[in-house]
Amino acid sequence: MTTRHAVISGASIAGLSAAWWLRHVGWEVTVLERAAAFRDGGQNVDVRGVAREVLDRMGLTDAVRAANTTETAAVIVDARGRVRAELPSDGPDGATAELEVLRGDLARILLDDLPDDVRFVFGTTVAEVEHGTTADDPVTVTTDAGQVLRADLLVVAEGVRSRTRDRLFAGDGEVDRRALGVTMAFGTIPSTPSDDDRWRWYNAVGGRQVHLRPDPYGTTRAILACTSDEALAGRDRGDTLAVLGARYAGAGWQTERVLDAFATSDDVYVDDLTQIRMPRWHRGRVCVVGDAAWCVTPMGGGGAALALTSGYVLAASLRPGRDVDTALDAFDAWMRPLVDRIQGIPRGIVHFAYPQSRIGLAGQAVTDRILTSSLLRPLIARFTRVADSDRPLPPLPDRVGSTGR
């Protein structure tokens, strides 16, 4: 039997999970990544719901647990830093999950566990994709460096602003971008004696939030999140910091500390939250996964869990004897209900989470105390179980060939 070959564009969590599982069942795998080298760093992600079982099957649960961010709880604070509500963190899927880890650390764990014969090409992107003339023909991928790769499957895992996805799925309604009207700026800042092991979340009028979270490296991960009709992603760093400084003027609590630190931090990242919805995640021998296919945004939560799970389900769907189109239909059928459940952000959630006025902020504070009371706490805890599934994971096909270990 000829070994099948998959080209994966993007060394994201979804891309690395796909590489891990496809090689596990015997595929040859080539990963293309636009960055010049593997990217560490990033903010908190978590492994929730069915993704915990996927991680167990990979044998990586202990490694992820050992890389825990050290965060123990999630609290909402006022302008003086006093706790006014604590979010449920009971069980493995609380506001602070049992498997809470930095994005870069999770990606590094996946990368380090890949077989040696998974090939990586850094500093390159997909320039052209040519489909075969028949369903049995391979797909031909040409990189921006002129390298030509023939593959039985191209997996696009490039993230929410995937250019390859946009080129290959350019028809009307194939890629639905839904801007949430929220901008988030992420960065690593020095810790101070006032920091502790809790995720501290502060709301200010004008639709502004400040978040501080511990990490395992003696620094603090900070987020500035605000409502905005003005896109900041991709703009010049100096311009972006100036806009953030103006937006957050007078916000209070530790806003000035974060702004000052962002001015010298080397890993500030800004994103205008956008959900991606696609009626079909594949065409021919091309499949889109992760944020490129279904970005749920941090407001939906569970993005890392979906990414991990998608690699397993993809490998399970591509069983020998199935044609690619049938296999990718099976992948879509299993993943779609899980994605739809997370993407269904309740109406009005942005208005509630980002109050514009003092009256709105006061109303939010009252609601937070009620919702996190002992009476309603179990009900609210259900909203953090975003990646649960009542369906068993599909069985993997028999392993084909050596994994190169």
Side-chain angles (χ1 to χ4, degrees), residues 167-187:
R167 287 200 305 270
L168 299 180
F169 295 83
D172 184 33
E174 288 191 288
V175 182
D176 178 10
R177 300 167 183 82
R178 299 191 183 185
L180 300 185
V182 174
T183 294
M184 287 188 170
F186 309 85

Side-chain angles (χ1 to χ4, degrees), residues 95-156:
T96 293
E98 177 187 0
L99 297 176
E100 193 84 30
V101 64
L102 297 177
R103 185 213 63 81
D105 289 346
L106 177 57
R108 172 66 69 179
I109 289 168
L110 297 176
L111 178 73
D112 289 348
D113 199 64
L114 284 171
D116 295 337
D117 59 0
V118 172
R119 182 178 177 224
F120 279 81
V121 184
F122 288 99
T124 194
T125 60
V126 174
E128 185 178 348
V129 177
E130 183 180 349
H131 296 276
T133 56
T134 72
D136 294 328
D137 291 336
V139 62
T140 302
V141 179
T142 305
T143 71
D144 59 351
Q147 183 179 14
V148 178
L149 301 167
R150 289 167 66 84
D152 299 281
L153 181 68
L154 170 62
V155 180
V156 180

Side-chain angles (χ1 to χ4, degrees), residues 57-274:
R57 295 189 183 192
M58 300 172 90
L60 296 178
T61 299
D62 288 344
V64 172
R65 184 175 286 113
N68 193 278
T69 62
T70 72
E71 184 176 290
T72 61
V75 296
I76 300 173
V77 301
D78 64 17
R80 296 183 181 181
R82 298 173 301 189
V83 176
R84 61 177 181 81
E86 180 172 352
L87 302 177
S89 291
D90 306 323
D93 288 342
T96 293
E98 177 187 0
L99 297 176
E100 193 84 30
V101 64
L102 297 177
R103 185 213 63 81
D105 289 346
L106 177 57
R108 172 66 69 179
I109 289 168
L110 297 176
L111 178 73
D112 289 348
D113 199 64
L114 284 171
D116 295 337
D117 59 0
V118 172
R119 182 178 177 224
F120 279 81
V121 184
F122 288 99
T124 194
T125 60
V126 174
E128 185 178 348
V129 177
E130 183 180 349
H131 296 276
T133 56
T134 72
D136 294 328
D137 291 336
V139 62
T140 302
V141 179
T142 305
T143 71
D144 59 351
Q147 183 179 14
V148 178
L149 301 167
R150 289 167 66 84
D152 299 281
L153 181 68
L154 170 62
V155 180
V156 180
E158 298 172 350
V160 61
R161 291 176 178 81
S162 169
R163 295 176 182 177
T164 305
R165 174 205 62 205
D166 289 348
R167 287 200 305 270
L168 299 180
F169 295 83
D172 184 33
E174 288 191 288
V175 182
D176 178 10
R177 300 167 183 82
R178 299 191 183 185
L180 300 185
V182 174
T183 294
M184 287 188 170
F186 309 85
T188 305
I189 67 175
S191 291
T192 68
S194 67
D195 293 333
D196 55 31
D197 60 3
R198 299 172 301 172
W199 169 12
R200 291 176 294 162
W201 173 342
Y202 169 68
N203 292 286
V205 295
R208 298 172 291 180
Q209 296 179 352
V210 181
H211 301 257
L212 296 177
R213 307 185 75 167
D215 69 24
Y217 300 107
T219 49
T220 295
R221 306 290 158 146
I223 305 171
L224 299 178
C226 60
T227 53
S228 174
D229 295 326
E230 180 184 10
L232 284 183
R235 289 172 60 167
D236 173 79
R237 174 187 172 92
D239 182 37
T240 297
L241 292 175
V243 171
L244 288 173
R247 286 185 186 177
Y248 273 85
W253 193 46
Q254 301 201 34
T255 301
E256 291 302 320
R257 169 197 171 191
V258 174
L259 288 170
D260 289 345
F262 275 10
T264 57
S265 175
D266 60 1
D267 71 344
V268 174
Y269 169 74
V270 178
D271 189 26
D272 305 306
L273 300 193
T274 305

Side-chain angles (χ1 to χ4, degrees), residues 286-328:
V286 178
C287 180
V288 188
V289 299
D291 281 353
W294 54 66
C295 182
V296 294
T297 78
M299 289 196 68
L306 289 176
L308 274 174
T309 304
S310 68
Y312 175 95
V313 176
L314 182 62
S317 301
L318 289 161
R319 57 184 59 257
R322 262 186 183 171
D323 64 84
V324 171
D325 203 54
T326 300
L328 296 181

